[in-house]
Amino acid sequence: MPARSWGVLAILCGAIFLEGVDVAMLNVALPSIRADLGLSTGMLSGVVSAYVLGYGGFMLLGGRAADLLGRRRMFLLWLGVFLAFSGLGGFANEGWVLLLARFVTGVAAAFMTPAGLSLITTTFPEGRHRNRALLIYAGTAAGGFALGLVIGGLLTALGWRWVFFAPVLLSLVILLAAIPLLKEPATERPPAGGFDIAGALSVTGAMMLLVYGVVRLEHPSNGLPLTVAAFAGGLALLAAFVAIERRSPNPLVRLGILRSTPLVRANLVAALLTASFFGFQFLVTLYLQELRGWSTIQTGLALLAAAADVALAPTLTPWLVNRYGNAKVVVTGLLSGLLAYALFLGIGLDWTYAAMLPSMLLIGLMFAFVYGPLTIVATDGIAEHEQGLAGGLINTSFQFGAALGLSVVTAVNVAALAAATPEAGLTAMRTALLVPLTATLLATVIAATGLRTRKPTADRVPANI
């Protein structure tokens, strides 16, 4: 690839690394933030949920805005917003300032991430070069989250505010490099006819209510009517959105794109993948820190083995995809995840790290084989003027799945906890581990139905899944 293409890829990988490391570092710093600012448990949970609401609620709108308003413009604008509000979080002295900062940072990521993904799919021609670029991009995204746990532990030792200031510095470097290097792709634009305001408002409201309902699942006995109302309102707005799009001359989301079976299947698998991983990561963190007494840095280093996809995604995965196709690689990765979760069901209070390591490595293998190929499938064959929409859909699935996985494992873990003893905690954790195991099993079944016998050619791999 030309040197400029590598430069563009480095900038966009830096941005997705920024998004992953930002989320992971904050998770590690939460106890220190609560101790310093005196936040209640509800307020602390709200700091996490605010980001999820902004990210999940605006992702579809962000993807379509990139198509209609310009990918480079949206990427640079919202990267600047991300920088500013991450800095605001670092200066916060009250809980409501943190809530505002995290919500707007989540909205900024919702616009920036699909714009960055669509810049890749429109900069690199469909085929071998695009596939390699997407696999490197996906590996960097997963690596950002895994490395963020370690970096967050180190920065929190210096002071929790550095968890907010470090992304500011990284954002500034990416922004200064992006301005001269990124160019707006010369793609064919859809006919001008105005922006679908009604569709934008209804789908954003629907996604925010659905994500809010998912977050509230973490506390099933606390305000059940409000949780049900959030889901009902979200589904009602989603139905209104579909009705609006069917009649709109310039729909925000062309519903015909959902007739693509590979795209729908890829999005389902994406949601189940992140639901399983984020639920598992949460349970492992509880196990290591609360049941075993490990420090945040020790926990981050223990989970670092799951970041093996950083090396595998850009090296081994492209060769396998070109040789066997996306579907077979994805199914192999999901089977690795199934084995990892099954092995971890046998956890005990005296487990050595050597006993945990096979599961960590297998999870790294799962991400290396699944995350990138799913992104290829979700964007393959989509018209260039809808690449932002396709990117918004797959990223919405990843984010919604992560929120769902965290909420369900939390609810199951709390419901299964019979007493405040290590043995009871371990039993509840084993029960909750069935959630990521079940999610991965469903993903495997869905992905396996997309297996094809068509042999890949030298320069084009099948994207079926």
Side-chain angles (χ1 to χ4, degrees):
M1 292 189 294
R4 183 182 169 277
S5 297
W6 280 111
V8 169
L9 181 59
I11 289 169
L12 300 174
C13 284
I16 198 64
F17 178 85
L18 168 68
E19 191 272 328
V21 79
D22 174 77
V23 173
M25 289 194 304
L26 179 67
N27 289 341
V28 175
L30 287 174
S32 298
I33 294 173
R34 172 160 59 180
D36 188 27
L37 299 184
L39 302 182
S40 66
T41 301
M43 178 64 77
L44 198 68
S45 175
V47 170
V48 177
S49 302
Y51 183 89
V52 174
L53 284 173
Y55 199 165
F58 285 82
M59 182 67 75
L60 278 178
L61 179 58
R64 196 58 180 139
D67 290 331
L68 298 175
L69 304 177
R71 299 177 176 95
R72 178 182 181 273
R73 182 182 297 114
M74 289 292 100
F75 180 82
L76 295 179
L77 170 64
W78 289 100
L79 178 59
V81 175
F82 190 101
L83 184 157
F85 279 84
S86 186
L88 176 65
F91 288 111
N93 286 313
E94 295 186 36
W96 71 267
V97 179
L98 273 179
L99 287 175
L100 174 65
R102 292 308 292 170
F103 177 75
V104 179
T105 303
V107 173
F111 280 84
M112 181 177 69
T113 303
L117 178 57
S118 61
L119 278 167
I120 290 181
T121 57
T122 53
T123 298
F124 296 91
E126 199 170 278
R128 187 184 300 272
H129 287 314
R130 181 189 290 182
N131 292 343
R132 186 173 183 81
L134 287 173
L135 291 170
I136 293 172
Y137 181 81
T140 306
F145 186 84
L147 293 173
L149 297 171
V150 181
I151 297 170
L154 295 172
L155 290 177
T156 303
L158 297 175
W160 65 264
R161 295 183 188 277
W162 279 104
V163 168
F164 290 89
F165 292 145
V168 171
L169 298 176
L170 181 55
S171 300
L172 185 60
V173 171
I174 296 170
L175 185 60
L176 292 176
I179 290 172
L181 269 179
L182 290 184
K183 305 294 181 185
E184 193 69 50
T187 57
E188 182 181 347
R189 290 283 180 180
F195 197 75
D196 182 10
I197 299 295
L201 292 175
S202 58
V203 75
T204 301
M207 295 308 299
M208 289 186 68
L209 283 172
L210 290 174
V211 171
Y212 179 66
V214 165
V215 170
R216 286 191 60 82
L217 288 176
E218 296 180 17
H219 311 286
S221 61
N222 184 15
L224 181 59
L226 183 57
T227 304
V228 173
F231 278 116
L235 292 173
L237 280 177
L238 199 58
F241 169 71
V242 171
I244 290 168
E245 299 307 278
R246 282 177 174 170
R247 294 194 297 268
S248 175
N250 302 288
L252 181 74
V253 176
R254 183 179 63 83
L255 298 179
I257 197 172
L258 300 178
R259 296 193 186 101
S260 170
T261 303
L263 181 143
V264 173
R265 192 180 286 120
N267 277 268
L268 289 173
V269 174
L272 291 167
L273 170 72
T274 52
S276 68
F277 172 75
F278 280 86
F280 174 77
Q281 180 266 329
F282 174 73
L283 291 172
V284 171
T285 301
L286 289 180
Y287 168 70
L288 294 177
Q289 293 189 17
E290 295 190 357
L291 296 182
R292 302 294 300 274
W294 290 27
S295 69
T296 54
I297 295 179
Q298 288 175 315
T299 302
L301 290 172
L303 291 167
L304 193 59
D309 63 307
V310 176
L312 295 176
T315 54
L316 178 60
T317 307
W319 181 84
L320 291 173
V321 166
N322 279 300
R323 179 69 178 84
Y324 299 106
N326 287 299
K328 291 180 180 178
V329 175
V330 168
V331 171
T332 301
L334 291 171
L335 289 173
S336 300
L338 267 179
L339 180 58
Y341 299 140
L343 289 173
F344 219 84
L345 284 174
I347 56 169
L349 293 175
D350 57 349
W351 259 29
T352 63
Y353 183 64
M356 308 175 211
L357 186 58
S359 290
M360 302 299 177
L361 293 174
L362 284 168
I363 287 171
L365 196 66
M366 175 181 71
F367 256 91
F369 288 177
V370 180
Y371 195 104
L374 280 181
T375 308
I376 295 173
V377 174
T379 56
D380 188 78
I382 304 297
E384 289 198 356
H385 69 266
E386 290 186 322
Q387 283 292 330
L389 172 60
L393 285 169
I394 191 69
N395 279 295
T396 297
S397 297
F398 282 133
Q399 185 66 23
F400 192 82
L404 184 62
L406 280 169
S407 298
V408 174
V409 297
T410 300
V412 172
N413 188 55
V414 170
L417 188 61
T421 63
E423 292 75 15
L426 190 63
T427 301
M429 199 161 292
R430 286 172 178 159
T431 303
L433 279 168
L434 294 173
V435 175
L437 183 71
T438 303
T440 308
L441 179 61
L442 289 173
T444 305
V445 172
I446 294 170
T449 61
L451 284 171
R452 298 289 186 271
T453 57
R454 181 161 60 96
K455 186 177 180 179
T457 63
D459 195 48
R460 166 90 178 187
V461 299
N464 297 309
I465 184 172

